[in-house]
Amino acid sequence: MLRFAVPALGISLAAPLMSNIDNGFVGRLDGTVGLAAMNPGTILSDYLLYLFIFLPRATVGLVTRARARGEEEARRELGCVLSVALLLGAGLTLVLVLGAPALLGLLGVSPSLRPAAGRYVRIRGTVAWAALMQSVALSGLLAFRDSMTPLKVVAAAACLNFAGDWLFCAWPMRAGVAGAAAATAMSTLAGFCLMLGALRKKGLLPRIRAVSWRDMEPLMEYARPLSAIILTRFLGLTAMSLAAARFGTVHQAAYQILANLVIICGLCGEPISQTAQTMLPQIFDADPPRPREARRALGNLLAIDITVGAAVYLLSTMFLKFGSRIFTKDAAVAALVSSAGIPMVPICIASLVLAQLIDGTQVAARQFPFVIRMSVVTLCVQLVFLSVVLRLSLGLPGIFLSLASRYWILAAATMIQMVSGSGNLGRAIWS
């Protein structure tokens, strides 16, 4: 598990790392207004792409199970998902490039921030199709239990993104927000090409083809519930961002730093989720059942998860105390990041790491109706919580507490299910 999960950790951190590189250059060189413009820009360029993350997550489960029927079947499943990713990614590119001003208007973005945010969205939008296909190709390699090759690819892309930020933001072009978007777009294209080259080298590169509804049926088994889950999370993150904007530009800039910290540290749990999705299906699908092996595997995953959660709690606390000025020169923003972030943001991050393990385990057990119900319930709780935060002016700590509450409810419901032996997961560990 560790041999797979440790390299996968680097993969999970690559995308948010690139966003934080952008934030660092923009915050230091373009000021508070530029950093605040990154908030709505990120909502559209990253969060909308996040709506389609059901494709790479479904890829892991589909290809893992197809491998039991042979490598050709696994390649065919990967080709189907890549073809769908190209179609959906092209549509997303058109929406972002052509509809950026309208989308920013719908979000109620301040007129002073719209020009910079619009440039960021349009530039990032031109490569949305490549970003989506790259994530599917990456998941295909993970399904073959190869986490080192994707790690090398995303590490190269991150280095290229840093070099591009220096070139476009610092010297010689000094293009601000637009320069940061160009650097990320350039590194995304490079990562996409490198990922396809890795698949070709391993003999796993499938053909892009028109897919029929029959080809789509296995994908839709995952896509329907996962898309509903992701949509509820997207709505929750968007509501948090809009709530932060209600408190003013300084709060919005501080929220951008804190939100990216939650993402980059919280995603330390993503490789544990991928490990669960890669290794648990063969145990859960076993006939006859292997409950002792299932409990041992879950215990190992939980031990890794608790260790990672404690580590990111400590690291995020240290960053909030001593590192906030990396992303901004504005003393008011830096002070707000430290005062509002501790202790709620580290608690939120540790809770997210636990939620990632729960997600991976539930997907491995194919308990989609349960997860859908919990996603809807926790979203409703969060929206009510955010309305209270705005009414009582609880600020950024209250906003992040609303997110942590979602993870706590999910963890409690999953524990009840496992102890009672209900659902696919409960039966797998107690049958």
Side-chain angles (χ1 to χ4, degrees), residues 28-30 164-180:
R28 296 286 297 180
L29 301 173
D30 208 33
D165 273 325
W166 187 272
L167 174 66
F168 295 129
C169 296
W171 184 86
M173 299 185 67
R174 300 183 184 275
V177 173

Side-chain angles (χ1 to χ4, degrees), residues 68-399:
R69 305 191 299 272
E71 188 171 296
E72 184 59 36
E73 280 293 312
R75 189 185 298 109
R76 190 187 70 81
E77 290 287 2
L78 180 57
C80 176
V81 186
L82 274 173
S83 301
V84 174
L86 175 59
L87 180 63
L88 294 179
L92 180 59
T93 290
L94 289 175
V95 169
L96 293 177
V97 172
L98 301 179
L103 292 171
L104 291 170
L106 288 174
L107 290 177
V109 177
S110 169
S112 63
L113 302 179
R114 289 187 192 182
R119 288 192 294 271
Y120 187 85
V121 171
R122 283 192 291 269
I123 295 171
R124 289 284 305 275
T126 58
V127 297
W129 60 273
L132 190 57
M133 292 187 72
Q134 177 188 350
S135 64
V136 170
L138 187 153
S139 295
L141 287 170
L142 290 179
F144 278 90
R145 299 196 179 184
D146 177 7
S147 55
M148 284 304 302
T149 300
L151 176 61
K152 294 175 183 177
V153 170
V154 298
C159 292
L160 184 60
N161 186 65
F162 180 83
D165 273 325
W166 187 272
L167 174 66
F168 295 129
C169 296
W171 184 86
M173 299 185 67
R174 300 183 184 275
V177 173
T184 302
M186 178 181 64
S187 64
T188 299
L189 279 176
F192 168 68
C193 294
L194 290 172
M195 199 68 72
L196 292 186
L199 286 174
R200 183 182 294 109
K201 185 177 180 180
K202 290 181 171 292
L204 301 175
L205 183 64
R207 291 182 177 179
I208 301 298
R209 66 184 194 279
V211 292
S212 65
W213 181 253
R214 184 176 182 180
D215 295 328
M216 292 279 290
E217 284 180 354
L219 175 60
M220 293 306 296
E221 181 186 5
Y222 284 83
R224 290 191 190 99
L226 285 175
S227 59
I229 295 165
I230 292 162
L231 177 61
T232 60
R233 294 181 181 175
F234 168 79
L235 293 174
L237 291 171
T238 302
M240 290 172 62
S241 180
L242 295 176
R246 295 277 296 273
F247 291 108
T249 301
V250 173
H251 279 75
Q252 194 169 5
Y255 173 82
Q256 178 68 10
I257 296 173
L258 292 172
N260 276 280
L261 181 65
V262 169
I263 292 170
I264 194 169
C265 291
L267 283 180
C268 290
E270 181 63 23
I272 305 172
S273 173
Q274 291 167 339
T275 303
Q277 293 176 58
T278 303
M279 298 184 177
L280 292 182
Q282 61 185 347
I283 301 175
F284 290 165
D285 296 347
D287 188 16
R290 307 203 300 254
R292 182 176 299 176
E293 188 174 346
R295 290 195 296 272
R296 185 169 62 249
L298 287 172
N300 290 338
L301 286 168
L302 183 59
I304 296 171
D305 194 79
I306 291 172
T307 303
V308 171
V312 295
Y313 177 90
L314 294 174
L315 288 173
S316 59
T317 301
M318 290 178 62
F319 169 82
L320 291 172
K321 284 190 178 216
F322 307 112
S324 59
R325 288 188 177 273
I326 295 174
F327 294 99
T328 180
K329 291 181 178 179
D330 191 320
V333 174
L336 184 59
V337 167
S338 298
S339 62
I342 301 174
M344 197 59 249
V345 169
I347 290 173
C348 186
I349 290 169
S351 303
L352 174 55
V353 170
L354 176 61
Q356 298 277 25
L357 170 60
I358 295 172
D359 282 348
T361 303
Q362 296 284 4
V363 171
R366 290 193 281 194
Q367 292 203 147
F368 300 127
F370 170 81
V371 182
I372 290 174
R373 288 194 299 271
M374 292 309 305
S375 296
V376 173
V377 169
T378 55
L379 173 63
C380 294
V381 171
Q382 184 182 19
L383 294 178
V384 172
F385 203 124
L386 284 173
S387 67
V388 175
V389 169
L390 291 174
R391 188 175 295 112
L392 300 180
S393 297
L394 299 180
L396 297 181
I399 290 175

Side-chain angles (χ1 to χ4, degrees), residues 387-431:
S387 67
V388 175
V389 169
L390 291 174
R391 188 175 295 112
L392 300 180
S393 297
L394 299 180
L396 297 181
I399 290 175
F400 285 99
L401 178 58
S402 75
L403 181 61
S405 67
R406 296 188 64 166
Y407 305 141
W408 298 341
I409 294 170
L410 174 63
T414 302
M415 180 61 68
I416 291 171
Q417 185 186 55
M418 292 175 63
V419 170
S420 65
S422 60
N424 295 342
L425 181 58
R427 287 190 291 270
I429 63 176
W430 294 115
S431 60

